[in-house]
Amino acid sequence: MAITKILIANRGEIAVRIVRACAELGIRSVAVFTEPDRYALHVKRADEAYSLGDDPLAGYLNPHHIVNMAVQTGCDALHPGYGFLSENAELAEICAQRGVTFIGPSAEVIRRMGDKTRARQAMIEAGVPVTPGSENNLSGLDEARAEAERVGYPVMLKATSGGGGRGIRRCDNEDELARNYERVVSEATKAFGSADVFLEKCIVDPRHIEVQILADDHGNTIHLFERDCSIQRRNQKLIEIAPSPQLTPEQRTYVGDLAVRAAEAVGYTNAGTVEFLFTGNQVFFMEMNTRVQVEHTITEQITGVDIVREQIRVAAGEPLAHQQSDIRHQGFALQFRINAEDPKNNFLPSFGRISRYYAPGGPGVRVDTAIYTGYTIPPYFDSMCLKLIAWNLSWEGALDRAKRAIHDMRLQGVKTTAPYYLKILDDPGFRSGQFDTGYVDAHPELLNYSEKSNPEEIALAIAAAIAAHTGL
Ligand code: ADP
Ligand code: ADP
Ligand code: MG
């Protein structure tokens, strides 16, 4: 079942990443876009591109329309990327019905693992340790109280279908639980279209460790080691590191094997990530992401395995190109999510026109982005505008290279998280390689940096103010 033409049901840097994999494999790529994205890089770079209509978001979220487009344009496969419909089981089903190969696991596996309570049940059956918590979705506040009492405060109230760090709230006592319950239910309903919530014990200041999995249709499941995503703000990742500088080789082997066991237990195929929380020497399964992840890049840097290429090959029915014993890791890679946000202003999104952009480069530096000078970051999508990846043989060397690469970069017109990352890179706590998910909150002083005043930005701000005032 050869794949010759792929529709990319996504936008931004991940769509560009998939176009690149297609180009290397000699596969034609088809981009789709909504009107605000007409001049986006994925549209320019793909072999063909088609509009999904005027509404900025609706087009990217309509599985029937997108699969129709794949059929009409002669695509034999569809890659969902991350976000949008990537964990939507219906999309995988419609693809199967219409004879389009879905580049990801089966609809059944997506459904099961996308439901965090069902995923937890599957892991318990497989003998994988899960965070102590409710076995099923909560029926109401009374049950939430009883479950919280049973596992002990603090607890995390979580949306069963949640993702992207949303729909999660920590409750330190019964009052907070009562206050947050309806809030999480309503967030879950709004953001994920399901009111289901559950709770689990809050692991205080844990490390977020996740394992990259690859599996084919021939019974092979391997892992590509772990990523440390403990540097987060509001449960959203900012900096990711591979491998984790804080695991022993024994812990690395243990968690890698655990992830393979988790994937095998649910009949997983294609690329996926098993997320765990570590505290001391204890490990708990947290969730599985049934898609390519934003931070797959750093695993590619340390192992040399092209994860998107493997996704496509496996979807075409080919066996994995690698066996577990072939997989080695070398050095350290860090990924910085350069978001169009103002860290000094509570990370407020800063959408707008990129007046100037020079990409960083040099040894060991990789940039995955869809921005260019003159491009306007639309306000409808998430605020990540660039992924800067730095690799080096040693941890210290990787940190120094990351600093150098951030200094290389010029990204003007919008505020970004880049200057904040420079402060983190100078922090002895971060450089020690020992940190947990409480790091960002524990270091508010890192937000005290001075931004270089930039004549071009000042001129633009003055021009904008005059235009606003005069109505020009
Ligand atoms: P990763 O797990 O790859 O690090 P993130 O959690 O940062 O990914 O999410 C990547 C993108 O996918 C973000 O735009 C996020 O908002 C979106 N996303 C993740 N999970 C969901 C979900 N369940 N529903 C809707 N959007 C999601
Ligand atoms: P999402 O689907 O949004 O990625 P996760 O379940 O992966 O949600 O949780 C996101 C982040 O929230 C984790 O990386 C971690 O920092 C925090 N978190 C989630 N569950 C717990 C928990 N039980 N204890 C402590 N922190 C948690
Ligand atoms: Mg997660």
Side-chain angles (χ1 to χ4, degrees):
M1 176 189 29
I3 289 178
T4 60
K5 191 171 176 183
I6 294 177
L7 183 136
I8 302 162
N10 216 297
R11 65 179 299 280
E13 67 84 20
I14 193 63
V16 175
R17 170 71 188 86
I18 298 161
V19 170
R20 287 177 170 147
C22 290
E24 289 183 22
L25 284 161
I27 293 173
R28 268 187 92 70
S29 54
V30 174
V32 288
F33 62 93
T34 62
E35 282 309 313
D37 269 342
R38 179 166 284 275
Y39 302 102
L41 200 58
H42 75 284
V43 174
K44 295 176 196 276
R45 180 64 182 84
D47 294 320
E48 298 170 28
Y50 301 96
S51 173
L52 293 168
D54 290 337
D55 188 282
L57 273 168
Y60 289 121
L61 295 172
N62 183 336
H64 288 282
H65 188 186
I66 287 180
V67 179
N68 257 341
M69 199 149 261
V71 172
Q72 279 164 15
T73 57
C75 291
D76 37 31
L78 178 149
H79 197 305
Y82 58 70
F84 291 130
L85 296 171
S86 61
E87 294 184 86
N88 180 304
E90 201 191 351
L91 175 66
E93 264 161 13
I94 300 170
C95 280
Q97 285 156 12
R98 303 292 303 275
V100 174
T101 300
F102 178 76
I103 301 173
S106 68
E108 190 198 331
V109 169
I110 296 174
R111 197 159 273 141
R112 185 157 180 208
M113 300 314 272
D115 178 314
K116 290 185 184 182
T117 51
R118 283 184 67 199
R120 284 163 55 81
Q121 286 160 2
M123 291 305 110
I124 293 168
E125 280 164 32
V128 174
V130 305
T131 327
S134 56
E135 205 173 301
N136 293 300
N137 293 323
L138 297 166
S139 57
L141 183 56
D142 286 342
E143 193 186 359
R145 279 205 190 96
E147 283 297 305
E149 219 40 67
R150 187 175 67 79
V151 301
Y153 287 96
V155 296
M156 286 291 211
L157 256 185
K158 297 173 81 165
T160 303
S161 312
R166 286 166 304 159
I168 302 178
R169 274 176 202 256
R170 173 176 164 153
C171 312
D172 283 345
N173 51 51
E174 210 178 311
D175 278 355
E176 285 186 12
L177 183 68
R179 231 176 304 135
N180 284 329
Y181 191 80
E182 284 310 319
R183 233 185 253 169
V184 175
V185 169
S186 110
E187 271 170 19
T189 313
K190 263 191 229 129
F192 311 113
S194 154
D196 291 341
V197 298
F198 70 107
L199 69 75
E200 56 186 36
K201 189 161 183 61
C202 177
I203 311 296
V204 178
D205 294 339
R207 289 163 288 160
H208 172 122
I209 303 287
E210 60 182 38
V211 178
Q212 177 70 54
I213 289 295
L214 286 175
D216 64 21
D217 289 332
H218 305 272
N220 306 304
T221 305
I222 64 171
H223 69 81
L224 304 181
F225 304 103
E226 83 286 357
R227 298 183 282 257
D228 189 323
C229 310
S230 302
I231 306 296
Q232 309 183 345
R233 177 178 172 272
R234 299 207 173 150
N235 307 318
Q236 291 173 344
K237 300 160 188 168
L238 291 175
I239 302 174
E240 299 105 339
I241 303 157
S244 171
Q246 32 193 356
L247 290 198
T248 63
E250 293 72 34
Q251 288 174 318
R252 177 161 298 126
T253 306
Y254 176 73
V255 74
D257 291 345
L258 210 52
V260 168
R261 194 198 303 171
E264 284 178 338
V266 295
Y268 200 86
T269 52
N270 215 282
T273 300
V274 189
E275 296 190 336
F276 297 95
L277 290 175
F278 264 63
T279 174
N281 218 4
Q282 275 182 301
V283 186
F284 301 107
F285 168 86
M286 185 166 49
E287 65 153 344
M288 181 161 195
N289 290 319
T290 55
R291 55 173 165 85
V292 68
Q293 263 182 307
V294 177
E295 59 274 20
H296 74 280
T297 55
I298 50 175
T299 299
E300 294 185 326
Q301 296 313 111
I302 62 159
T303 61
V305 176
D306 181 332
I307 292 171
V308 178
R309 180 190 177 98
E310 284 309 295
Q311 285 194 288
I312 297 170
R313 291 186 58 261
V314 163
E318 290 173 48
L320 282 174
H322 315 272
Q323 293 180 330
Q324 189 70 61
S325 55
D326 302 336
I327 306 294
R328 301 264 185 283
H329 61 97
Q330 193 180 27
F332 288 90
L334 295 97
Q335 174 177 281
F336 298 81
R337 297 194 190 196
I338 312 275
N339 299 336
E341 291 170 1
D342 182 3
K344 282 174 163 306
N345 192 3
N346 204 22
F347 291 81
L348 191 76
S350 168
F351 300 109
R353 182 174 178 275
I354 298 189
S355 54
R356 196 214 298 244
Y357 167 60
Y358 293 139
V365 175
R366 164 175 173 179
V367 175
D368 279 26
T369 186
I371 64 161
Y372 51 86
T373 296
Y375 176 70
T376 297
I377 304 175
Y380 315 105
F381 311 106
D382 69 39
S383 56
M384 189 179 76
C385 58
L386 186 141
K387 305 194 304 202
L388 193 162
I389 298 111
W391 174 90
N392 211 338
L393 278 172
S394 69
W395 170 242
E396 291 283 322
L399 297 174
D400 294 341
R401 187 162 272 170
K403 268 178 72 175
R404 187 271 292 164
I406 295 176
H407 280 297
D408 273 352
M409 183 176 70
R410 287 287 172 279
L411 206 176
Q412 292 166 357
V414 294
K415 301 262 190 221
T416 78
T417 45
Y420 174 55
Y421 295 147
L422 285 174
K423 291 289 283 187
I424 293 182
L425 280 162
D426 273 338
D427 173 49
F430 182 72
R431 294 187 76 91
S432 75
Q434 304 294 314
F435 33 73
D436 55 45
T437 60
Y439 177 87
V440 165
D441 286 340
H443 292 281
E445 79 284 0
L446 298 177
L447 290 165
N448 292 327
Y449 52 83
S450 68
E451 276 159 298
K452 273 182 245 146
S453 56
N454 159 351
E456 187 179 354
E457 261 172 47
I458 294 168
L460 279 170
I462 294 171
I466 293 172
H469 190 68
T470 58
L472 289 175

